[in-house]
Amino acid sequence: VSLSIEQQKLLLQPGQQISSKPDPAFDEQIESALKVPDPDERDGLIATAVFGSEKENLANVMQAIDKISDSTLRAHLTEWLYFHRASAALKDKQFDQAETLTAKVEGHEQRAFLLTEIARGLLNTKDTQTHAQELLDTAITEAKKAGVNIFAARSLLTAAHLYAKIDLSRSIAILQDAINCINRIESPDFAGDDQALEQKPERRGRGGQYGGEYLLRFYMPGLDPESAFREMAKIDFDTSLSQSSALTDKFQRAMSTLALADVCLQAQQQPQEKRKKHQD
């Protein structure tokens, strides 16, 4: 029974059938969990149901979370739920809904990322560009409140790139803020975290016994110095070159310089290709 259904089918005698019970509905899971007398075990069952509630009505899921007795776990799940619902709304280009949900997210890193991505989508439409700029400014403020970390730096780098479509001088100023943030991080690594912030609240079993940890992931991709300078160089190469030298980390400065060199080489190849086509 530990094998997958497909593997089990290969081992069954002809004529035998595999019967598998469908997963219980969300409401059924919560109803069953509430019958468990032990509060820690009950909390764990409700949390498990919440993790699989992507298609469930948001209000129903929030009502279930409110029934969790552990206030710390309850806060973590609420944050996780609002973030993931906002991310889902972004994918569906439901920007108003994403903005409403983002307002309920508490973490500065998460809010900065979501606001930046909403602004990215709104910048594509002329009628919403003004609001996109307002959201970018709020995202920058949230990123600075987040302190000195990779996620704040990613949001600032991404905001600098997006602002270049609106106001280049403001974009350069934000890029400087991003560089200052990066320079204050010891050995900045933009790849090691898989672009995801992780929270690990404690999981408790029956009787309050330690049962490991929950793993809550907040996937927040964004630009790193290399990609940011590559994009900025396409708009203002000279300024990007001078700004890259301000990076104190040797690896990040080297990768950013290589990105600038790549943009320069591509710019030189384009006229040659155009001349060849003209000659042909």
Side-chain angles (χ1 to χ4, degrees):
V1 295
S2 64
L3 298 176
S4 67
I5 296 298
E6 289 74 16
Q7 291 174 319
Q8 290 183 45
K9 287 180 179 179
L10 296 175
L11 300 175
L12 284 176
Q13 295 295 328
Q16 288 184 321
Q17 297 179 348
I18 298 175
S19 61
S20 58
K21 295 182 179 179
D23 293 333
F26 179 78
D27 290 340
E28 294 175 346
Q29 294 181 65
I30 300 303
E31 183 180 355
S32 177
L34 293 176
K35 294 178 181 179
V36 176
D38 184 272
D40 294 308
E41 186 178 1
R42 183 171 61 245
D43 286 353
L45 292 172
I46 295 175
T48 299
V50 170
F51 290 138
S53 64
E54 292 87 355
K55 298 180 181 179
E56 190 64 31
N57 179 273
L58 177 62
N60 290 345
V61 183
M62 282 304 306
Q63 287 178 3
I65 292 177
D66 288 340
K67 299 181 186 302
I68 292 177
S69 57
D70 185 343
S71 59
T72 300
L73 177 59
R74 190 167 61 242
H76 278 293
L77 286 177
T78 300
E79 182 83 347
W80 178 87
L81 178 64
Y82 282 134
F83 177 87
H84 281 268
R85 289 299 177 97
S87 298
L90 270 169
K91 289 181 180 179
D92 294 335
K93 299 186 184 303
Q94 298 176 355
F95 300 119
D96 289 341
Q97 183 180 353
E99 187 175 349
T100 300
L101 291 167
T102 298
K104 299 179 180 181
V105 174
E106 296 293 335
H108 295 302
E109 294 93 338
Q110 293 94 318
R111 284 170 62 88
F113 166 76
L114 290 170
L115 288 169
T116 301
E117 293 306 305
I118 296 171
R120 184 197 300 276
L122 295 178
L123 280 173
N124 295 324
T125 305
K126 186 176 181 180
D127 293 340
T128 56
Q129 285 184 353
T130 300
H131 186 48
Q133 183 174 350
E134 294 172 352
L135 293 178
L136 271 181
D137 288 335
T138 306
I140 293 164
T141 301
E142 291 292 334
K144 292 179 178 179
K145 288 180 181 178
V148 179
N149 58 60
I150 292 295
F151 298 101
R154 279 201 189 101
S155 291
L156 290 172
L157 289 169
T158 305
H161 169 55
L162 294 176
Y163 231 113
K165 302 177 182 180
I166 308 170
D167 184 341
L168 184 57
S169 60
R170 171 74 169 136
S171 172
I172 298 301
I174 301 167
L175 181 61
Q176 291 174 342
D177 290 337
I179 293 172
N180 291 334
C181 178
I182 296 168
N183 288 343
R184 293 165 62 192
I185 301 173
E186 185 177 355
S187 301
D189 181 3
F190 285 83
D193 59 8
D194 196 27
Q195 300 189 13
L197 175 66
E198 294 184 352
Q199 295 178 352
K200 298 180 180 180
E202 183 177 321
R203 182 195 296 267
R204 296 176 184 174
R206 183 176 298 179
Q209 294 182 349
Y210 176 75
E213 297 174 332
Y214 296 100
L215 177 58
L216 308 181
R217 285 174 56 86
F218 299 82
Y219 182 57
M220 297 185 287
L223 297 180
D224 56 18
E226 177 186 356
S227 55
F229 276 103
R230 178 180 286 109
E231 295 301 321
M232 294 295 291
K234 297 175 183 177
I235 302 170
D236 188 339
F237 183 85
D238 291 337
T239 302
S240 299
L241 179 62
S242 63
Q243 289 294 323
S244 66
S245 62
L247 286 166
T248 56
D249 183 81
K250 293 182 179 179
F251 176 77
Q252 298 299 335
R253 186 168 67 248
M255 296 303 296
S256 299
T257 303
L258 288 173
L260 292 170
D262 183 48
V263 173
C264 187
L265 289 172
Q266 290 181 10
Q268 290 179 344
Q269 290 174 356
Q270 288 176 357
Q272 295 176 0
E273 292 174 357
K274 290 182 180 178
R275 283 197 297 269
K276 280 187 177 181
K277 289 182 180 179
H278 182 72
Q279 291 173 356
D280 293 342

